[in-house]
């Protein structure tokens, strides 16, 4: 077993055949499901395995996504009705393709499969050639494994993304001149997935009527887990990193389809970039755990640098915060808290055990190159997952020192997370950027994925800051707000 770069939601050229491959914020809406899920959908799928629970989940997802777009599409098409997929739907046993190099039967005639059968392994695609959608259903391959770990809603998000490509195709997005870079069309499809998710949270998706904010958080973790590997070279940059993708999904959830398919959507910027050196690539962009929690280390010094400078802009004085190890914060928090800020001594406290768990917290995927079989791996090193928690502690200090505001409850946590987004933007620079010279610390290309992972899972744990009425999506939204807007937007 060894890692390989995969392309989950990527526009690719196969000789003369173009395809768009699958792969792997607003506040989440609350409320309880109002009804039972509808009976299983039956769609016309070439090659469908009637015994496959994954194939059935895909049919349910596509049924609901298409129903959503039958209503939504006329609002962005000038009143034109949604045209069904001309090329149809195709289910393929990717394990068999890995063994034989071929797709047998009628599925082999699908436009993109006919050109390159092996692309379907651990993948799926909206094919621009014949307006079709195909996927790998093998139980030991990527999609089925992610579905088993993270739930069927994660599958629905994948195919809501894919149908988003079909909408872009119908609107002529792929025909624009000059041609859009792949990352823009992939982001638009992620936005479309978010717009569909908003309807699911309102219990308007017949087969996912039991969608809750908690289930959506689980699905987003799967979406993040199925991300592309961080690129090693500039030529591999295509989709956006986990932060770019979840940010786009959150924008769609908040703003809806008119936002996703407006011309102004392509004015967005992206944060994905390749590693700048072989050493950084080999280390996965991680510094040792001991360095992250060093009270005089790079992150502590740089956080104090950033907030001292930010304070001067609003005529405030920032008193540098210290970082100390202790089983529990010396004040505030809960009896179970092992991470928090204490205003009485201006210190962020962390327990050694939780710091270690946070540092080793990133999920990932391993592939067998010969069979395409997948193993989901967990507890991978992620220095900025821990760094994100430390930064949230500094955010609470900012709220206390600059504004004398409370540090309990939903607003306090959202504000602190928002501040971390602003800080992350300040240090998310390539080493060659002239502005990097003034920084003590710079983020590695993988760090924003690690931050998003920490926001989804770690930050809301009782061992850390507690959920305080927020979901993982809420926290990502707050981080996204701080990253994209001014610090003043964080004053909840």
């Amino acid at each position: 077993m060894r890692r390989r770069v995969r392309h989950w939601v990527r526009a690719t050229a196969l000789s003369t055949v173009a395809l768009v491959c699958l792969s792997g914020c607003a506040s989440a809406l609350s409320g309880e499901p109002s009804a039972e899920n509808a009976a299983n959908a039956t769609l016309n799928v070439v090659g469908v395995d009637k015994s496959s629970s994954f194939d059935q989940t895909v049919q349910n997802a596509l049924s609901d996504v298409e129903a959503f777009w039958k209503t939504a599409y006329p609002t962005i098409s000038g009143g034109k009705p949604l045209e069904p997929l001309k090329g149809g739907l195709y289910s393929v046993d990717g394990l068999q393709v890995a063994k034989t190099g071929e797709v047998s039967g009628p599925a082999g005639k699908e436009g993109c499969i006919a050109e390159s059968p092996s692309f379907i392994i651990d993948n799926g695609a909206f094919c621009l050639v014949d307006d079709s959608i195909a996927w790998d259903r093998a139980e030991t391959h990527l999609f089925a494994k992610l579905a088993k770990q993270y739930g069927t809603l994660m599958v629905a998000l994948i195919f809501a993304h894919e149908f988003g490509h079909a909408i872009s195709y119908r609107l002529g997005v792929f025909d624009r001149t000059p041609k859009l870079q792949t990352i823009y069309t992939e982001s638009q499809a992620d936005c479309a997935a978010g717009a569909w998710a908003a309807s699911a949270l309102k219990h308007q998706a017949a087969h996912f009527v039991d969608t809750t904010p908690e289930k959506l958080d689980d699905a987003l973790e799967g979406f993040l887990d199925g991300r592309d590997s961080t690129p090693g070279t500039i030529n591999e940059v295509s989709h956006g990193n986990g932060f770019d993708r979840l940010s786009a999904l959150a924008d769609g959830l908040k703003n809806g389809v008119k936002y996703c398919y407006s011309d102004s959507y392509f004015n967005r910027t992206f944060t994905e970039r390749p590693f700048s050196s072989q050493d950084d690539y080999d280390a996965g962009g991680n510094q040792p755990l001991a360095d992250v929690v060093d009270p005089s280390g790079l992150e502590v010094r740089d956080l104090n640098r950033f907030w001292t400078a930010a304070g001067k802009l609003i005529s405030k004085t920032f008193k540098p915060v210290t970082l100390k190890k202790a089983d529990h914060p010396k004040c505030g928090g809960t009896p179970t808290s092992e991470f928090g800020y204490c205003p009485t001594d201006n210190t962020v406290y962390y327990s050694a055990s939780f710091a270690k768990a946070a540092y080793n917290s990133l999920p990932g995927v391993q592939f067998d190159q010969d069979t395409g079989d997948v193993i989901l791996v967990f507890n991978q090193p992620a220095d900025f997952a821990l760094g994100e928690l430390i930064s949230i502690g500094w955010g609470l200090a900012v709220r206390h020192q600059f504004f004398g505001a409370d540090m309990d409850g939903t607003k306090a946590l959202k504000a602190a997370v928002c501040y971390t987004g602003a800080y992350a933007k300040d240090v998310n620079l390539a080493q060659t950027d002239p502005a990097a010279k003034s920084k003590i610390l710079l983020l590695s290309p993988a760090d924003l994925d690690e931050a998003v992972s920490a926001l989804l899972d770690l930050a809301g744990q009782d061992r850390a800051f507690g959920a305080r009425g927020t979901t993982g999506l809420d926290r990502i939204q707050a981080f996204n707000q701080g990253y994209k807007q001014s610090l003043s937007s964080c004053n909840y």
Side-chain angles (χ1 to χ4, degrees):
M1 292 287 193
R2 57 192 178 94
R3 286 190 64 82
R4 73 180 184 192
V5 176
R6 66 186 178 284
H7 306 290
W8 187 6
V9 194
R10 181 176 183 176
T12 307
L14 297 176
S15 299
T16 60
V17 178
L19 57 100
V20 182
C21 294
L22 279 167
S23 169
C25 292
S27 298
L29 302 176
S30 60
E32 294 299 323
S34 58
E36 296 293 328
N37 288 336
N40 285 331
T42 302
L43 304 181
N44 184 17
V45 180
V46 177
V48 67
D49 181 350
K50 294 183 179 180
S51 67
S52 168
S53 61
F54 180 78
D55 265 0
Q56 185 59 68
T57 297
V58 175
Q59 290 184 77
N60 290 343
L62 285 170
S63 175
D64 286 6
V65 171
E66 184 177 23
F68 167 79
W69 279 111
K70 283 181 178 179
T71 299
Y73 185 73
T75 68
I76 59 173
S77 66
K80 295 179 181 179
L82 177 69
E83 295 180 3
L85 294 172
K86 295 182 178 66
L89 305 172
Y90 297 81
S91 171
V92 177
D93 181 354
L95 183 59
Q96 187 64 30
V97 180
K99 292 178 180 178
T100 65
E102 298 178 346
V103 175
S104 60
K109 297 179 181 179
E110 190 264 357
C112 294
I113 292 175
E115 177 69 19
S116 179
S118 62
F119 95 86
I120 199 66
I121 300 170
D122 287 308
N123 224 331
F126 168 73
C127 184
L128 297 173
V129 173
D130 60 358
D131 191 27
S132 64
I133 292 176
W135 62 89
D136 178 357
R137 67 169 180 271
E139 292 184 0
T140 56
H141 286 190
L142 181 63
F143 291 160
K145 281 294 190 74
L146 289 173
K148 186 175 182 179
Q149 178 68 32
Y150 296 106
T152 58
L153 184 60
M154 191 266 174
V155 178
L157 287 182
I158 290 174
F159 285 90
H161 166 105
E162 198 54 32
F163 211 92
H165 284 309
I167 299 301
S168 298
Y169 174 71
R170 281 152 177 72
L171 295 175
V173 172
F174 293 104
D175 298 325
R176 288 173 62 126
T177 304
K179 186 177 180 180
L180 288 167
Q181 290 180 301
T182 300
I183 197 169
Y184 288 96
T185 53
E186 296 303 333
S187 177
Q188 186 172 63
D190 285 334
C191 187
W196 176 83
S199 72
L201 282 168
K202 295 175 183 176
H203 316 306
Q204 295 171 350
H207 296 92
F208 298 88
V209 74
D210 59 353
T211 296
T212 63
E214 293 74 22
K215 287 186 177 182
L216 182 57
D217 276 359
D218 288 341
L220 292 179
E221 288 198 50
F223 211 75
L224 178 65
D225 197 356
R227 69 196 181 281
D228 276 1
S229 300
T230 302
T233 70
I234 192 65
N235 293 328
E236 295 175 19
V237 175
S238 60
H239 298 168
N241 55 23
F243 169 65
D244 289 333
R245 301 199 59 188
L246 292 186
S247 174
L249 192 148
D251 284 344
L253 195 148
K254 177 182 180 181
N255 300 308
V257 297
K258 290 184 178 180
Y259 169 81
C260 300
Y261 290 92
S262 65
D263 285 340
S264 61
Y265 184 82
F266 299 119
N267 294 332
R268 67 195 300 116
T269 58
F270 300 96
T271 64
E272 184 182 48
R273 68 178 193 275
F275 287 102
S276 58
S277 70
Q278 187 64 43
D279 288 344
D280 196 29
Y281 180 80
D282 291 342
N286 291 310
Q287 59 178 321
L289 171 59
D291 290 354
V292 181
V293 295
D294 184 345
S296 59
L298 297 179
E299 181 157 11
V300 170
R301 289 159 49 204
D302 200 57
L303 281 165
N304 285 330
R305 170 203 63 82
F306 176 78
W307 287 114
T308 297
K312 291 179 179 178
L313 295 176
I314 56 173
S315 301
K316 299 282 187 180
T317 299
F318 183 73
K319 182 180 178 182
V321 178
T322 57
L323 181 67
K324 290 183 180 180
K325 181 171 65 175
D327 290 339
H328 303 283
K330 296 299 183 183
C331 64
T334 66
T336 59
S337 177
E338 299 178 43
F339 209 107
Y341 171 69
C342 182
T344 57
D345 60 2
N346 196 35
T347 299
V348 171
Y349 288 95
Y350 69 92
S351 76
S353 61
F354 187 61
K356 182 178 180 180
Y359 181 90
N360 296 292
S361 63
L362 192 67
V365 179
Q366 290 181 342
F367 292 83
D368 186 295
Q369 293 282 65
D370 296 323
T371 67
D373 286 349
V374 164
I375 295 177
L376 303 185
V377 294
F378 303 93
N379 305 322
Q380 302 299 294
D383 61 349
F384 201 61
L386 174 56
E388 172 67 11
L389 298 180
I390 294 172
S391 188
I392 293 173
W394 255 253
L396 290 173
V398 169
R399 185 171 170 86
H400 171 70
Q401 290 191 34
F402 287 177
F403 309 110
D406 72 275
M407 291 180 293
D408 299 316
T410 302
K411 290 183 178 180
L413 182 56
K414 283 187 175 182
V417 171
C418 186
Y419 291 141
T420 71
Y423 169 68
K425 182 176 183 179
D426 185 69
V427 294
N428 187 34
L429 302 170
Q431 293 180 2
T432 55
D433 192 314
K437 295 180 180 179
S438 65
K439 318 301 180 187
I440 299 172
L441 174 147
L442 293 175
L443 296 188
S444 184
D447 283 339
L448 285 182
D449 285 0
E450 296 167 8
V452 169
S453 179
L455 292 170
L456 276 173
D457 182 39
L458 297 172
Q461 292 184 18
D462 290 340
R463 293 180 70 187
F465 301 99
R468 307 189 190 190
T470 66
T471 64
L473 184 60
D474 290 329
R475 297 187 290 273
I476 289 173
Q477 177 196 13
F479 184 91
N480 190 35
Q481 180 174 320
Y483 194 96
K484 293 184 176 181
Q485 302 179 33
S486 65
L487 278 170
S488 61
S489 72
C490 299
N491 295 334
Y492 286 86

